Amino acid sequence: MKNTVENNSRITSDTIAVIHQAGEEPCGVRVDVSLEDIEKTVDHIVQENLNTILALRYRTNTGEYIGHVRKYLSWADPKTVKSVIDAKLYELLGERTAADNVKPTKKKEKTAVEAVPSPSEEELINPYTIFSQPSQNLMVHTKVLFSDGSVLRYQNTKELLEKHLKVTGGKVFTRFPPEPNGYLHIGHAKAMFVDFGLAKDRGGCCYLRYDDTNPEAEKKEYINHIEDIVKWMGWEPFKNTYTSDYFQELYNFAVELIRTGHAYVDHQNAEEIKEYREKKVNSPWRDRPIAESLKLFDEMRRGMIEEGHATLRMKQDMQNDNYNMFDLIAYRIKFTSHPHAGEKWCIYPTYDYAHCIVDSLENITHSLCTLEFETRRASYYWLLHSLGLYMPHVWEYSRLNVTNTVMSKRKLNYIVTNKYVDGWDDPRLLTLAGLRRRGVTPTSINAFVKGLGITRSDGSMIHVSRLEHHIREELNITAPRTMVVLNPLKVVITNMEPGKVIEVDAKKWPNDPSASYKVPFSRVVYIEQSDFRKKDSKDYYGLALGKSVWLRYAFQIKCTNVVFADDGETVCEIHAEYDPESKTKLKGVLHWVPESSPGLEPLKVEVRLFEKLFNSENPAELKDGWLTDINQNSKVVVSDAYALTTIEDAVVGDTFQFERLGYFAVDKSSTPGKLVFNRTVTLRDSYGKRGK
């Protein structure tokens, strides 16, 4: 080609494209490149990189795209190319926002827990500005390289997009698609925030779709839980659907795939499939006649073939660099009743086959998922393209990983079924049911997720203290104050008459003096055992023999005597005198609980103190040793704590701040005779020390 070009001839962009396809570079010629040539090339490159541009917006590296243009148009004026790219970005993205002016941070070497850059002010106000409009789904979504050197650029035809927009009215349609094989965890809270949040922000619709393609692992209990927890998190689905609602359509599409030569019935077992995929070798049944595959697939549907003896596989590209193009399984035989579809089917579609088709059937505009699914994008679009179906815009974001816990459903299921914890709603778990039982609110969870932003970062580990910070922020405002003594030590006020009671005002809310409650100060009160020492020291502000402290909201007392048990070491009770007139400022201020009435014990309650379930920040890294990392002291039960009678009518879910101890919530195991409280979070906030 190079030899056929004469000097001083004019070469168009079309000619240059042919030269490049031939693997040659034009040289020794003068070329006039028109503005139209540049605009066409820029359009092509922008479409190829659309996902990156929509994610990074004006923070994208335009210099890289200028280089791509000049690779095709070597003689194009760089300034003109830059102007065209800038104009195209403006057309695509609109005005710059504050978020677009934030400089990207340099990537640091990965550690167990990484600092995650806080979203910009613009992103905090509206984190959904990064997503495209449904009308832009005409553009190239992705390109797939095949092992034979060909490239497919998948995009909707104008006709398909117009048909889709007519159905949706141009609105955003998303879906939250959990598999009902366990309880949802805090990672699903982020998925809900992205899926439901985007639809709500754009005035669109979000389906709650149960991805129920694996009947062996799914239960009605999990389906009910998901519906309940989505509502608790504050989200309202446009419609509840099941993948199984579309089983007939999915089956029909599978037949169509076989007819068009894009699928075949395979008889390899799981081990053989794995071996052949590792070697990138085609199945011996890959090229069987279409009619034969149609007959066998029908026999699979009618239950005429034993389980494990046949699968339907998509005919993709076994030599591809992407293992998710290695002829993925579309259908397998399972003689198992389905929790939603019943006994109708004995073949079930896989996630890889069903997910994208149902997205298309439900006219989803934005198919949003976490980054581990990014390599499946090729298969997603290959299948929709093969069937001639509308293609949603796929966008992946970083998954949420939090320290000192496990997020894998398999691991969660193991520790639940083997009773390492007390069920899916154990307050030590970061399941949403566990967090709810612990006293965490959905608004604080959503605030935590929003604060992280919706990014395509590498999924850094988020320290649990960041979540606790948001929990404290809310409970500090919403939880009324009260006093509870975990390990009571009896204090007898010797200079107070028996039977005498003085009511003192205690603050229910720290910033509202008018909101108070009465606490009866009597001859016998109780303080924490840890607030008394037999020997005093300069750095100790509690009570000791001969020392004075303040009782919160009440009076100053001075220890005058200590009563020991027979062993001469254990303190049974202490005697003290109160001073009703003293105004002296003291550093020691203790919480306390009086007798419920003279001569009667205070209200007894059970208090459960929870710590992190795992000692390591990332127990998943321990692989086979992760179970040995469970914190044996993650749950401490205090059976006979003393509380003020003002909380005796509390009901399940009520939250309080126990002064000096932390925030607590009434547990569902409470009985009419005894309240049980779970510690939601301590008072101390370590998040600020790590950096917000």
Side-chain angles (χ1 to χ4, degrees):
M1 185 73 179
K2 190 186 301 181
N3 294 331
T4 65
V5 180
E6 295 181 359
N7 288 345
N8 299 324
S9 63
R10 185 180 184 279
I11 301 179
T12 67
S13 59
D14 291 337
T15 307
I16 293 172
V18 172
I19 293 173
H20 277 278
Q21 288 171 5
E24 302 179 5
E25 295 290 337
C27 61
V29 295
R30 178 178 60 81
V31 179
D32 296 325
V33 181
S34 69
L35 179 61
E36 182 183 358
D37 293 336
I38 296 174
E39 289 174 340
K40 285 181 179 179
T41 307
V42 168
D43 284 343
H44 171 72
I45 289 169
V46 166
Q47 288 179 356
E48 280 193 334
N49 296 276
L50 183 62
N51 287 317
T52 301
I53 292 171
L54 292 177
L56 297 177
R57 290 178 57 80
Y58 287 103
R59 289 172 287 183
T60 191
N61 184 1
T62 54
E64 181 181 340
Y65 300 141
I66 293 172
H68 288 330
V69 173
R70 299 199 71 207
K71 180 181 176 182
Y72 292 102
L73 304 174
S74 304
W75 295 273
D77 176 49
K79 291 183 179 179
T80 305
V81 173
K82 184 178 185 305
S83 297
V84 172
I85 290 175
D86 288 345
K88 188 65 180 177
L89 291 180
Y90 182 83
E91 176 189 333
L92 187 64
L93 305 173
E95 295 289 345
R96 280 179 176 267
T97 66
D100 297 323
N101 297 321
V102 177
K103 293 182 179 180
T105 56
K106 292 183 179 179
K107 190 170 182 179
K108 299 179 181 179
E109 187 177 344
K110 191 169 181 178
T111 56
V113 181
E114 296 184 11
V116 177
S118 296
S120 67
E121 183 178 347
E122 176 76 15
E123 289 170 321
L124 283 173
I125 295 171
N126 186 351
Y128 308 108
T129 56
I130 60 175
F131 295 112
S132 62
Q133 296 296 332
S135 58
Q136 294 175 318
N137 275 6
L138 183 65
M139 300 178 182
V140 172
H141 293 301
T142 195
K143 63 179 180 179
V144 177
L145 305 176
F146 285 83
S147 57
D148 62 2
S150 63
V151 178
L152 276 181
R153 293 175 174 84
Y154 295 124
Q155 66 187 87
N156 287 310
T157 63
K158 185 177 180 181
E159 293 73 25
L160 275 177
L161 184 60
E162 286 178 350
K163 182 180 177 182
H164 158 76
L165 293 173
K166 186 176 180 180
V167 173
T168 63
K171 290 183 177 181
V172 165
F173 272 66
T174 60
R175 80 289 176 271
F176 174 58
E179 183 180 358
N181 63 348
Y183 278 43
L184 303 186
H185 54 63
I186 196 165
H188 293 101
K190 180 173 182 178
M192 281 187 258
F193 182 82
V194 176
D195 293 323
F196 284 103
L198 173 60
K200 184 178 181 180
D201 177 73
R202 301 285 177 86
C205 305
C206 181
Y207 287 89
L208 168 56
R209 184 203 305 158
Y210 297 100
D211 179 28
D212 56 345
T213 56
N214 186 12
E216 294 170 327
E218 294 150 9
K219 296 179 181 178
K220 181 65 175 174
E221 171 195 352
Y222 301 145
I223 293 173
N224 293 340
H225 155 74
I226 292 170
E227 185 171 353
D228 172 60
I229 216 71
V230 167
K231 183 178 180 181
W232 177 73
M233 285 296 297
W235 304 115
E236 185 176 349
F238 160 65
K239 188 178 181 181
N240 289 6
T241 61
Y242 298 77
T243 297
S244 57
D245 293 339
Y246 304 94
F247 274 0
Q248 186 61 54
E249 290 94 330
L250 291 167
Y251 175 80
N252 294 342
F253 282 125
V255 172
E256 181 64 21
L257 273 184
I258 299 172
R259 284 178 177 157
T260 56
H262 290 104
Y264 62 96
V265 172
D266 188 29
H267 299 294
Q268 290 181 304
N269 59 36
E271 292 75 19
E272 290 169 335
I273 290 175
K274 181 181 179 183
E275 179 186 351
Y276 275 56
R277 293 186 78 193
E278 288 174 349
K279 295 178 180 179
K280 294 188 174 183
V281 176
N282 291 345
S283 164
W285 287 279
R286 193 176 199 266
D287 296 319
R288 74 190 324 160
I290 288 174
E292 193 175 301
S293 281
L294 285 170
K295 179 176 179 295
L296 288 167
F297 189 51
D298 181 61
E299 290 175 357
M300 286 172 60
R301 180 186 64 84
R302 290 190 285 151
M304 298 172 63
I305 301 177
E306 292 182 34
E307 189 169 334
H309 285 215
T311 59
L312 182 70
R313 295 180 67 181
M314 294 178 271
K315 192 182 287 188
Q316 296 170 303
D317 184 8
M318 284 293 292
Q319 288 73 46
N320 202 287
D321 290 335
N322 183 346
Y323 63 90
N324 279 307
M325 289 292 287
F326 291 176
D327 288 11
L328 299 180
I329 294 174
Y331 270 88
R332 68 276 201 225
I333 302 168
K334 288 181 179 290
F335 293 106
T336 304
S337 177
H338 192 281
H340 184 66
E343 307 287 342
K344 183 178 179 180
W345 297 90
C346 64
I347 57 171
Y348 293 101
T350 61
Y351 170 88
D352 290 300
Y353 173 75
H355 184 70
C356 58
I357 295 177
V358 178
D359 274 357
S360 182
L361 293 176
E362 292 185 341
N363 279 288
I364 300 304
T365 59
H366 298 73
S367 181
L368 309 172
C369 54
T370 47
L371 279 168
E372 65 264 32
F373 292 96
E374 187 171 22
T375 57
R376 298 190 183 191
R377 191 194 294 184
S379 173
Y380 184 103
Y381 284 128
W382 175 91
L383 181 53
L384 293 180
H385 175 78
S386 298
L387 291 169
L389 296 176
Y390 157 78
M391 303 179 202
H393 176 64
V394 176
W395 197 86
E396 300 89 1
Y397 55 89
S398 60
R399 65 175 293 161
L400 176 56
N401 296 304
V402 182
T403 62
N404 303 97
T405 192
V406 290
M407 306 284 275
S408 158
K409 273 192 179 180
R410 181 180 59 82
K411 286 185 169 68
L412 287 170
N413 185 61
Y414 187 88
I415 60 177
V416 169
T417 56
N418 290 279
K419 302 190 183 304
Y420 286 91
V421 292
D422 303 323
W424 284 100
D425 65 348
D426 188 301
R428 291 169 290 179
L429 297 175
L430 290 192
T431 59
L432 295 176
L435 289 168
R436 175 167 64 176
R437 186 174 177 185
R438 190 164 178 158
V440 179
T441 63
T443 47
S444 60
I445 297 172
N446 284 327
F448 164 66
V449 171
K450 183 177 181 180
L452 299 174
I454 307 170
T455 67
R456 285 175 55 86
S457 67
D458 59 359
S460 304
M461 189 74 68
I462 306 300
H463 202 277
V464 69
S465 62
R466 187 163 181 168
L467 170 62
E468 292 172 345
H469 166 76
H470 288 279
I471 296 169
R472 285 189 193 91
E473 273 200 330
E474 178 163 335
L475 291 179
N476 182 50
I477 299 170
T478 61
R481 275 52 172 172
T482 189
M483 293 189 289
V484 173
V485 173
L486 299 180
N487 300 291
L489 175 60
K490 186 177 182 179
V491 179
V492 179
I493 310 299
T494 56
N495 64 333
M496 191 169 187
E497 300 172 9
K500 182 178 180 180
V501 174
I502 303 173
E503 287 194 332
V504 297
D505 290 322
K507 289 183 179 180
K508 197 172 186 179
W509 311 98
N511 300 321
D512 186 359
S514 63
S516 63
Y517 62 95
K518 300 292 184 182
V519 180
F521 181 75
S522 58
R523 180 178 170 84
V524 176
V525 298
Y526 295 86
I527 64 171
E528 295 284 358
Q529 292 178 14
S530 58
D531 281 336
F532 176 80
R533 287 185 185 176
K534 288 176 282 187
K535 288 186 178 180
D536 195 12
S537 62
K538 290 183 179 180
D539 59 347
Y540 174 63
Y541 303 124
L543 194 60
L545 187 62
K547 187 176 182 179
S548 296
V549 296
W550 276 98
L551 294 183
R552 182 85 161 141
Y553 305 121
F555 306 103
Q556 189 179 122
I557 64 169
K558 181 177 182 180
C559 179
T560 57
N561 186 40
V562 182
V563 180
F564 292 95
D566 293 339
D567 60 10
E569 291 292 329
T570 305
V571 177
C572 293
E573 65 179 59
I574 59 177
H575 296 168
E577 294 181 352
Y578 86 109
D579 185 348
E581 305 299 330
S582 177
K583 303 296 182 184
T584 305
K585 291 185 177 180
L586 300 172
K587 289 186 176 180
V589 180
L590 312 182
H591 64 283
W592 55 282
V593 171
E595 291 181 322
S596 55
S597 59
L600 296 178
E601 283 186 330
L603 176 68
K604 278 190 177 182
V605 297
E606 180 178 305
V607 178
R608 298 170 181 174
L609 306 174
F610 296 108
E611 294 291 346
K612 298 175 182 67
L613 183 58
F614 290 90
N615 293 308
S616 300
E617 288 189 333
N618 191 2
E621 284 187 337
L622 302 177
K623 296 183 179 179
D624 294 339
W626 66 280
L627 286 171
T628 62
D629 191 53
I630 290 178
N631 178 9
Q632 300 302 316
N633 298 314
S634 59
K635 177 182 178 181
V636 176
V637 178
V638 181
S639 300
D640 293 311
Y642 282 165
L644 297 177
T645 55
T646 51
I647 65 170
E648 62 184 344
D649 294 325
V651 298
V652 175
D654 283 353
T655 56
F656 300 89
Q657 186 197 98
F658 292 177
E659 297 209 35
R660 297 181 66 220
L661 298 177
Y663 295 97
F664 294 78
V666 180
D667 187 66
K668 67 179 185 179
S669 61
S670 298
T671 64
K674 194 169 191 179
L675 288 170
V676 177
F677 289 91
N678 297 323
R679 183 167 66 189
T680 308
V681 68
T682 60
L683 292 177
R684 182 173 296 178
D685 192 342
S686 61
Y687 171 52
K689 296 178 182 179
R690 294 180 170 270
K692 298 183 182 181

